[in-house]
Amino acid sequence: MRSLLRKANPITVTAAVALLLLVVLAVIGPILFSAEAERTDAVNASAGFSGEHWFGTDQLGRDLFARTLVATRLSLLLAVTAAVIGMVIGIPLGILPAVLGGRVRRLVAGFIAASVALPGLLLALFVNTIIGVGATGAVLGIGIANAPTLARLAQTTSAGIAARDYVAAARMLGASRFTLLFRHILPNVAEPLILTGTMSVGWCLLEISALSFLGLGVRAPSYDWGDLLNQGLQGIYVNPMGALGPGLFVVLGGLGFALLGESVTSLARRVPRLRGAAAEPVAHAGREPGDEAVAVAGLRVQYPSRDGTPLDAVDDVSFALRPGERVGIVGESGSGKSTTVLGIAELIAYPGRVTWQQLRINGVDLVAAAPQQRRRLLGASVAMVSQDPMTALNPALRVGRQLAEVAQVHLGKGRSAANDLAVRQLEHVQITDPVRRARQFPHEFSGGMRQRAVIAMGLMGEPRLILADEPTTALDVTVQQQVLDLLERLNAETGAALLLVSHDIAVVTNRCSRVLVMYGGRVVEDASSDELLAGPAHPYARALLAAVPTMTSDRDRALATIPGRPPSLAEMPPGCSFAPRCPFADDRCRAEQPPLIELSATRRVECWKPVGVAREHA
């Protein structure tokens, strides 16, 4: 507490102290000052402020200062109640579209948009009129009027969180909508909602006081600050303090709640969510090789166009990986590399649609598998290493807790055993002091450490396939090499196949035994690294390799480039998609889609005129 006070802003401390005094007054005010507030004195009626009556007296001679102190309880109670009503209605309504699907999500989003368009005060007056003039109508009116603003804020913040990789991973784990909502989405939008919710108490205080001032709120014999302000305004020329006193309390209360929001948000950041786990590290056990790690046939990922026509982001991709094999996927941005990997892991976000003719992981056909078996297989046998580990890790949960969840869900381990395993796997990926690191949040990790933590998360199950989607993006060269070395070591130790996505064909040919070259959502060449380096058969693969500078490159010559740009999904050309940029293309290339043919036992190419290959092979 002392540490928080030292770090707090002086304005925030002042606001907190002022609100604390108001709360104390709300508790003890009616007890200590009710008798003085109700005692009439006809001799001193409508008297001005004095040492005996700080705010003067009303028309019955009652002390206005005492009445203002007594009114504190009702004023704060009504404001807090209205704010709670607004949050209870608005926040769940705004978060629902993040976990709902299809038509229901659009219906809820449209209702929120229409509600925000209504003027808040007009809506409050309408509700107040329907329910009836008085405190109940004022509270409900103000609460309902504030709900759309909170709903829009919750909708905007939760939409970005719902698109994160860790939410997609939670869906793959089989998490219910309730779990997604309260464990993964709500904690990550809590800060702006807490801030706005706290500030809304101040807004509600001002709005309810305004309704009481207009005679539409609290009615006699009860009274709040707004009602006292109305009474004091009638004699403001005789006794200015009769109006200024209650008005000052209204302003101070509103400002206090508004300024307190930031300190409440800061406090929320420090609330611990996990008791740390400790364990002694042990070595990772190896696994016996089995059937193919993954076999994909006819993988297709489609997105709807504006007119509803499906567009193929990945079109009829087929390949297989043996246990322990390292295969790389290369190509320009938009070629379908990452989409292929996400399609295998069933992490394609709505409205994308994934279909296969066959998808076998660890010898199990996912097309025929039951949904529960499919989720377990993908969650335990497939390790996903994403481009941005910060989006793959939930920023509201400690790293150890996130890793332990995989073992609890898929391996059936208890909480303590899962936490112990999380610590061991953090050590296994060479994170120093894993016991302490398991208690930390993702933002306390460096970029390289976050990537190692994501790799450790994949090792929490029994991975037979590691999908590394550009795992070194935004990392410096030294850390890139460390992460790639770690993936290679885990590939050798676990026997899991490694599918590495990268823009850098030099990295892929150096780290992988086999390379898939993708263009326009299709595999255009599948060859061993040695064959590809010796001479690519597809013109696109040859152009990619030529664009990589070497130590012997002539510095006086411009670097080789590929003319043109990759096609968009909506403008995919007929025939070979690379034909508009290919120097060897002819009329047949521009009219007919070439098949993926086998040139040898280790090489496939999708081209009518493979470079350096005899015509009979084409």
Side-chain angles (χ1 to χ4, degrees):
M1 180 60 70
R2 292 179 180 177
S3 176
L4 291 177
L5 290 175
R6 284 196 300 267
K7 296 178 181 179
N9 188 297
I11 296 179
T12 302
V13 173
T14 303
V17 172
L19 286 179
L20 180 61
L21 291 176
L22 288 179
V23 171
V24 172
L25 281 176
V27 174
I28 67 173
I31 299 175
L32 299 180
F33 301 102
S34 288
E36 181 69 18
E38 297 300 329
R39 187 172 64 246
T40 60
D41 186 358
V43 176
N44 292 315
S46 301
F49 66 94
S50 62
E52 185 179 357
H53 303 289
W54 289 5
F55 291 173
T57 61
D58 63 6
Q59 296 176 352
L60 298 179
R62 294 172 296 192
D63 186 81
L64 289 177
F65 180 68
R67 291 176 67 81
T68 302
L69 298 181
V70 172
T72 302
R73 174 183 292 183
L74 183 59
S75 298
L76 294 185
L77 181 61
L78 295 180
V80 171
T81 303
V84 170
I85 291 174
M87 288 186 283
V88 168
I89 296 175
I91 293 176
L93 183 66
I95 296 180
L96 278 178
V99 294
L100 295 176
R103 188 174 301 173
V104 179
R105 184 181 67 252
R106 292 192 295 271
L107 181 64
V108 174
F111 177 77
I112 293 173
S115 301
V116 171
L118 293 174
L121 184 59
L122 182 62
L123 181 60
L125 292 174
F126 174 76
V127 174
N128 195 352
T129 302
I130 295 298
I131 296 176
V133 175
T136 302
V139 168
L140 290 175
I142 296 300
I144 294 174
N146 279 286
T149 301
L150 293 166
R152 172 52 61 88
L153 174 65
Q155 179 190 16
T156 303
T157 53
S158 61
I161 298 298
R164 298 292 181 90
D165 293 343
Y166 59 81
V167 177
R171 287 194 178 97
M172 186 181 72
L173 288 172
S176 65
R177 290 178 178 177
F178 182 87
T179 301
L180 289 175
L181 191 64
F182 289 96
R183 181 175 179 82
H184 296 285
I185 295 178
L186 189 58
N188 289 297
V189 298
E191 285 189 20
L193 296 181
I194 290 173
L195 174 61
T196 306
T198 305
M199 294 176 65
S200 70
V201 179
W203 305 337
C204 292
L205 178 62
L206 298 175
E207 292 164 355
I208 289 178
S209 297
L211 289 181
S212 295
F213 177 80
L214 296 174
L216 302 176
V218 177
R219 308 297 297 272
S222 299
Y223 53 91
D224 66 348
W225 291 335
D227 183 51
L228 293 177
L229 179 60
N230 180 30
Q231 297 176 21
L233 192 63
Q234 298 175 14
I236 190 170
Y237 294 108
V238 177
N239 178 25
M241 286 303 300
L244 293 178
L248 182 63
F249 273 73
V250 172
V251 172
L252 289 179
L255 286 176
F257 281 109
L259 295 176
L260 189 63
E262 182 61 30
S263 64
V264 173
T265 305
S266 300
L267 181 61
R269 298 189 187 119
R270 295 174 170 84
V271 175
R273 295 180 177 87
L274 172 72
R275 184 173 299 171
E280 294 182 3
V282 297
H284 191 283
R287 297 181 176 85
E288 293 295 327
D291 297 332
E292 72 274 347
V294 60
V296 183
L299 175 64
R300 191 181 304 274
V301 180
Q302 296 178 320
Y303 290 93
S305 63
R306 292 183 178 180
D307 60 2
T309 304
L311 302 176
D312 292 329
V314 172
D315 182 14
D316 195 21
V317 168
S318 302
F319 60 88
L321 277 73
R322 300 185 306 275
E325 188 178 12
R326 294 197 299 271
V327 176
I329 303 181
V330 296
E332 295 171 283
S333 295
S335 61
K337 308 183 301 299
S338 297
T339 307
T340 297
V341 169
L342 294 174
I344 294 173
E346 285 197 348
L347 293 178
I348 296 295
Y350 179 85
R353 181 171 176 265
V354 185
T355 57
W356 329 277
Q357 294 176 6
Q358 182 189 61
L359 178 59
R360 297 178 65 84
I361 295 179
N362 200 20
V364 179
D365 187 359
L366 265 67
V367 177
Q372 187 66 28
Q373 183 185 14
R374 180 185 301 177
R375 283 196 298 267
R376 178 176 175 79
L377 187 66
L378 289 172
S381 299
V382 178
M384 184 73 190
V385 184
S386 63
Q387 296 184 33
D388 184 3
M390 199 61 193
T391 64
L393 294 171
N394 189 332
L397 297 177
R398 300 181 191 271
V399 173
R401 180 69 252 144
Q402 297 186 60
L403 269 64
E405 185 177 26
V406 178
Q408 288 181 263
V409 172
H410 292 298
L411 303 182
K413 291 184 177 293
R415 185 183 182 93
S416 178
N419 289 338
D420 292 348
L421 180 59
V423 173
R424 294 199 298 270
Q425 297 298 14
L426 287 176
E427 183 186 39
H428 188 58
V429 296
Q430 300 174 342
I431 290 181
T432 58
D433 197 0
V435 175
R436 180 174 64 89
R437 291 296 186 180
R439 300 189 183 104
Q440 293 182 329
F441 292 96
H443 71 269
E444 298 178 87
F445 280 38
S446 66
M449 290 176 62
R450 284 197 292 267
Q451 197 62 282
R452 291 172 185 271
V454 171
I455 296 172
M457 183 182 292
L459 297 177
M460 292 295 294
E462 299 174 349
R464 303 292 291 167
L465 173 65
I466 301 174
L467 302 176
D469 182 14
E470 300 192 51
T472 58
T473 300
L475 300 178
D476 60 69
V477 177
T478 303
V479 178
Q480 286 183 23
Q481 182 174 352
Q482 293 173 354
V483 171
L484 292 173
D485 289 343
L486 174 61
L487 289 173
E488 280 192 27
R489 180 172 65 83
L490 296 175
N491 164 253
E493 292 179 357
T494 65
L498 172 63
L499 189 59
L500 174 64
V501 174
S502 177
H503 285 90
D504 194 337
I505 193 171
V507 169
V508 168
T509 53
N510 182 49
R511 298 281 180 169
C512 301
S513 60
R514 184 164 138 239
V515 179
L516 304 176
V517 181
M518 291 194 68
Y519 185 83
R522 299 177 66 89
V523 175
V524 297
E525 184 161 0
D526 176 1
S528 68
S529 296
D530 293 338
E531 287 178 316
L532 196 68
L533 291 173
H538 196 282
Y540 177 63
R542 181 173 291 268
L544 281 180
L545 202 60
V548 179
T550 65
M551 297 299 293
T552 60
S553 299
D554 188 351
R555 297 184 181 182
D556 296 329
R557 298 182 60 183
L559 292 175
T561 58
I562 306 176
R565 60 182 179 84
S568 68
L569 297 184
E571 300 174 353
M572 197 66 69
C576 176
S577 56
F578 187 63
R581 308 172 70 187
C582 180
F584 307 107
D586 57 16
D587 292 341
R588 185 185 186 187
C589 298
R590 286 184 281 270
E592 299 180 37
Q593 173 68 53
L596 187 64
I597 59 174
E598 291 189 3
L599 299 182
S600 67
T602 58
R603 170 174 280 191
R604 298 182 300 163
V605 66
E606 186 178 89
C607 185
W608 292 121
K609 305 171 69 175
V611 179
V613 180
R615 288 288 299 173
E616 59 267 19
H617 288 294

